[in-house]
Amino acid sequence: MTNKETVYVVSDSVGETAELMVKAVASQFFGQEVEIKHFSYVEDKQDITNVITMSKYSLSIIAYTIVVPELKHYLDQKADEEGVIAVDLMHPLMNAFTQKFNMEPNSQPGQMRKLDENYFKRVEAIEFAVKYDDGQEVRGLKQADIVLVGISRTSKTPLSMYLANKTFKVANVPLIPEIQPPKELFSIPRKKCVGLIISPEKLYEIRTERLKSLGLTSSANYASLDRILEELTCAENIMKKIGCPIIDVSNKAIEETADQILAIFNKRESFA
């Protein structure tokens, strides 16, 4: 018999919802996460009997998201017979939906993971962001919904991925004093381009820490204030030439910057 606190996550789908809820609750009780054991895609009563047997002889409970009525009732019945705690994470809310909205659930597993149009758009956008990250294949600039430009360590890549998860096709281009920006950058509509800048002090701090993590000294040109000022000046001149809006990312989380970018684009669309 184990003394490890365990939760058996049982689902007729993947079980992601149950796992997230278990982790949220466990964080209120344990210094570290409780051990979670998965029983996904439960299809018959034997699967349920097996997990109840294991739970009975261990320090554990069952948390489940089963929407098929027959399997749910069987789990409740067997758990009660064997003295096992089994918590239904979905039906209390489903019952509230039924009562308030006068609707019945379709009781089909895996509805959240059905492949819909939005899913494919998101996958396409993520693949686009990876392909056209850091100035790769400049032909992607014309196909992009949003083009981000900025010097190194201004969060271009994480921003691209964050926006891609919202189905926007994003390309980003690094601005380096010694390298001429691609001519395509000046031929795309300026309304879809956004410049990213950062304070010299913040960038110095970020780059110094980056060098330390690589085992290099902070005396490298990459982290020198003179070099940083040169890069920022060059970048701002290019952004002014493009005529794009400029966002200072110095003290912003990725989500904040992304929201600001989307606000700019939504405002433009409303006046288009």
Side-chain angles (χ1 to χ4, degrees):
M1 180 181 295
T2 177
N3 291 320
K4 174 69 176 177
E5 297 90 352
T6 303
V7 176
Y8 290 97
V9 168
V10 182
S11 177
D12 44 21
S13 183
V14 179
E16 291 174 328
T17 304
E19 180 177 356
L20 287 172
M21 293 183 70
V22 167
K23 286 182 176 180
V25 173
S27 68
Q28 301 296 317
F29 292 90
F30 305 106
Q32 58 185 10
E33 291 185 2
V34 66
E35 182 177 359
I36 297 175
K37 294 186 177 181
H38 291 266
F39 282 81
S40 302
Y41 299 108
V42 168
E43 296 180 343
D44 54 43
K45 294 179 179 179
Q46 186 59 52
D47 291 334
I48 292 173
T49 299
N50 292 342
V51 70
I52 288 178
T53 300
M54 285 185 283
S55 182
K56 180 179 180 180
Y57 295 104
S58 63
L59 183 64
S60 63
I61 62 174
I62 294 172
Y64 70 89
T65 52
I66 292 179
V67 297
V68 178
E70 182 183 3
L71 294 180
K72 173 205 160 27
H73 295 321
Y74 182 77
L75 193 156
D76 288 338
Q77 178 186 347
K78 293 298 291 184
D80 185 59
E81 290 175 0
E82 299 295 339
V84 171
I85 297 176
V87 183
D88 183 344
L89 300 179
M90 289 188 68
H91 276 78
L93 187 55
M94 288 172 65
N95 290 337
F97 269 61
T98 297
Q99 294 171 19
K100 188 66 178 179
F101 304 129
N102 196 28
M103 298 172 66
E104 291 295 328
N106 58 28
S107 299
Q108 293 180 8
Q111 292 295 289
M112 286 183 62
R113 299 190 66 84
K114 278 195 170 179
L115 303 185
D116 56 16
E117 184 180 356
N118 194 61
Y119 170 84
F120 287 112
K121 283 183 178 179
R122 186 163 61 252
V123 170
E124 185 181 4
I126 292 171
E127 290 177 346
F128 186 95
V130 172
K131 184 174 183 179
Y132 297 111
D133 180 44
D134 208 28
Q136 301 179 77
E137 294 199 47
V138 293
R139 62 183 178 179
L141 299 183
K142 292 184 178 180
Q143 303 168 30
D145 299 317
I146 301 172
V147 177
L148 305 177
V149 296
I151 65 174
S152 172
R153 316 310 291 181
T154 50
S155 302
K156 296 186 299 299
T157 296
L159 269 171
S160 296
M161 296 306 298
Y162 184 89
L163 291 167
N165 271 284
K166 294 183 177 292
T167 73
F168 290 93
K169 292 181 180 178
V170 186
N172 71 76
V173 179
L175 301 179
I176 304 168
E178 293 79 14
I179 300 176
Q180 284 292 320
K183 61 182 184 298
E184 289 84 356
L185 194 56
F186 303 97
S187 62
I188 61 174
R190 66 180 183 179
K191 66 180 182 180
K192 70 177 184 180
C193 190
V194 175
L196 306 174
I197 61 169
I198 189 170
S199 71
E201 297 78 15
K202 184 67 176 178
L203 186 54
Y204 174 79
E205 177 185 329
I206 292 172
R207 289 190 174 182
T208 299
E209 288 302 314
R210 174 61 175 162
L211 289 174
K212 286 181 182 177
S213 70
L214 296 173
L216 302 173
T217 66
S218 59
S219 61
N221 189 44
Y222 174 74
S224 74
L225 275 175
D226 287 341
R227 173 62 183 182
I228 287 172
L229 291 171
E230 178 188 5
E231 289 187 38
L232 287 171
T233 300
C234 174
E236 289 188 42
N237 288 337
I238 292 172
M239 293 172 194
K240 288 176 182 176
K241 186 176 178 181
I242 296 171
C244 63
I246 299 174
I247 298 176
D248 188 337
V249 302
S250 301
N251 297 301
K252 288 187 175 71
I254 297 298
E255 295 84 355
E256 291 179 275
T257 306
D259 286 345
Q260 193 169 345
I261 291 171
L262 294 179
I264 291 171
F265 278 81
N266 289 335
K267 185 176 180 180
R268 284 172 173 171
E269 286 183 4
S270 65
F271 286 98

